Amino acid sequence: MSRLYSSRKRILVTGGAGFLGSHLCDRLIADGHDVLCADNFFTGDKSNIEHLVGEPRFELLRHDITFPLFVEVDEIYNLACPASPIHYQHDPVQTTKTSVHGSINMLGLAKRLKAKILQASTSEVYGDPAVHPQTEGYWGHVNPIGPRSCYDEGKRCAETLFFDYHRQHGLEIKVARIFNTYGPRMHPADGRVVSNFIVQALKGESITLYGDGQQSRSFCYVDDLIDGLVRLMDSAAEVTGPINLGNPREFTMAELAAQVIAATGSKSELTHAPLPEDDPRQRQPDIGKARQWLGWEPRVPLADGLERTIAYFRGLAVA
Ligand SMILES: NC(=O)c1ccc[n+]([C@@H]2O[C@H](COP(=O)([O-])OP(=O)(O)OC[C@H]3O[C@@H](n4cnc5c(N)ncnc54)[C@H](O)[C@@H]3O)[C@@H](O)[C@H]2O)c1
């Protein structure tokens, strides 16, 4: 799809070489925009965006958002932040800095440019939720001093900063609370459940279920999620969020394991390991606001999304 020159925007995507960021860059380039991808390559990889290098409307910048950035853009998608526990717990101080200092730097840039800015927040702001499914009005149940806090509290503080810049400086903000998303370009070793199960199944290794495997999650395919982010950015100024983006269809970990085994044709068996600390039992978005404000809901069924993701991991030759 190409755009008229007048509607072509210059868009900064922080974390653009990561899983979600690279799909967002693809979408924005396909929509006819100029994209500046800024990434420090902590968890992102050049292979995720190498097909865009050479495209005249795409620029790549190695940059750590905990340091100020001076560029000229019309919109900012702030996705930079390691998203999986293995990665965000590797250097927890840097994780908090990325959410807090990084947000301050990006909000400062948006303020100077009068640019619209979107924050990739997370369902982790709800912690181990006492309310199910989670609506945006729920304030969460988060441990402030545990091993996940660098991520959860960092993201909560980032939301606070976004809303204070909005109230205090009139900035046009958008806050998306993203629930578990999966798809091609997930890091094969990031310990997230979908990639874990697929890699274990393709290798014929036993599939590890934490606890009794009855904890549930909802899984959103990456194309659906990216469509939600773009709709949110394009929504009316009064739509600030926070807004849940995810797939409300719930699966237990045991059900997911069974689907992955069936789709890969694997002979893997199931093993059990203790539940990690602060691991939520249930996680399911209420997407009523996304439906109402953005006309958005996920469309890709788990079976189709798994098929595309499995094909990607087969291509990486992880087996
Ligand atoms: N994937 C999900 O299911 C999910 C769920 C909720 C929220 N999110 C949020 O979406 C965003 C993207 O997640 P993802 O799954 O693509 O993760 P990812 O780890 O693949 O991508 C994050 C990107 O940010 C980069 N990065 C990290 N710290 C940086 C820094 N200080 N400066 C510049 N770049 C930095 C990494 O190198 C990587 O390319 C994150 O903010 C994450 O918290 C993702």
Side-chain angles (χ1 to χ4, degrees), residues 12-296:
L12 170 63
V13 179
T14 76
F19 161 48
L20 297 182
S22 62
H23 286 276
L24 179 60
C25 289
D26 283 346
R27 165 69 189 264
L28 297 173
I29 288 285
D31 284 355
H33 300 298
D34 283 340
V35 173
L36 172 58
C37 164
D39 203 296
N40 70 352
F41 300 110
F42 173 48
T43 50
D45 199 290
K46 283 189 190 147
S47 63
N48 289 337
I49 33 113
E50 67 185 352
H51 56 284
L52 293 174
V53 175
E55 155 66 55
R57 286 181 289 106
F58 180 77
E59 272 178 281
L60 177 60
L61 178 68
R62 179 185 287 271
H63 178 77
D64 183 325
I65 63 157
T66 63
F67 297 96
L69 178 63
F70 297 97
V71 291
E72 306 301 315
V73 291
D74 306 304
E75 289 178 354
I76 303 169
Y77 286 86
N78 188 35
L79 271 64
C81 186
S84 73
I86 288 179
H87 291 134
Y88 69 64
Q89 290 171 10
H90 171 75
D91 185 349
V93 173
Q94 171 69 9
T95 299
T96 305
K97 273 189 186 171
T98 296
S99 279
V100 177
H101 293 197
S103 291
I104 291 171
N105 287 329
M106 291 307 114
L107 286 160
L109 177 64
K111 182 179 163 218
R112 179 173 74 76
L113 299 172
K114 297 189 175 34
K116 228 192 293 187
I117 181 165
L118 180 148
Q119 167 67 355
S121 189
T122 170
S123 56
E124 300 291 337
V125 300
Y126 299 123
D128 188 359
V131 164
H132 192 76
Q134 290 85 52
T135 60
E136 293 85 347
Y138 177 53
W139 289 355
H141 179 225
V142 179
N143 177 356
I145 56 166
R148 303 173 75 107
S149 312
C150 58
Y151 184 73
D152 302 6
E153 296 289 22
K155 290 285 190 180
R156 286 168 69 94
C157 183
E159 288 198 8
T160 306
L161 285 162
F162 268 68
F163 277 86
D164 281 335
Y165 267 79
H166 173 65
R167 281 185 289 258
Q168 198 175 331
H169 300 299
L171 219 66
E172 193 176 336
I173 60 154
K174 311 282 180 188
V175 175
R177 289 186 179 154
I178 302 170
F179 285 65
N180 277 347
T181 302
Y182 71 100
R185 303 187 200 147
M186 294 182 87
H187 200 291
D190 72 1
R192 285 192 258 188
V193 64
V194 175
S195 46
N196 254 6
F197 284 5
I198 292 176
V199 170
Q200 287 170 328
L202 289 177
K203 287 182 169 171
E205 293 172 353
S206 50
I207 291 187
T208 318
L209 282 180
Y210 293 102
D212 57 8
Q214 292 309 303
Q215 67 277 37
S216 67
R217 293 288 186 277
S218 56
F219 304 102
C220 186
Y221 187 65
V222 60
D223 291 356
D224 283 332
L225 192 276
I226 297 302
D227 187 52
L229 292 181
V230 171
R231 281 174 191 245
L232 178 57
M233 184 62 108
D234 291 346
S235 62
E238 59 273 19
V239 179
T240 57
I243 191 161
N244 290 338
L245 293 178
N247 195 327
R249 173 83 168 84
E250 246 186 323
F251 292 87
T252 65
M253 296 303 94
E255 284 172 315
L256 176 70
Q259 283 223 27
V260 168
I261 288 175
T264 50
S266 172
K267 304 244 177 313
S268 295
E269 290 177 354
L270 301 180
T271 55
H272 291 266
L275 269 183
E277 195 177 336
D278 295 339
D279 195 46
R281 293 280 314 161
Q282 277 185 315
R283 185 55 68 64
Q284 184 195 24
D286 178 317
I287 59 163
K289 284 196 166 139
R291 283 196 175 102
Q292 186 189 339
W293 292 344
L294 311 179
W296 177 87

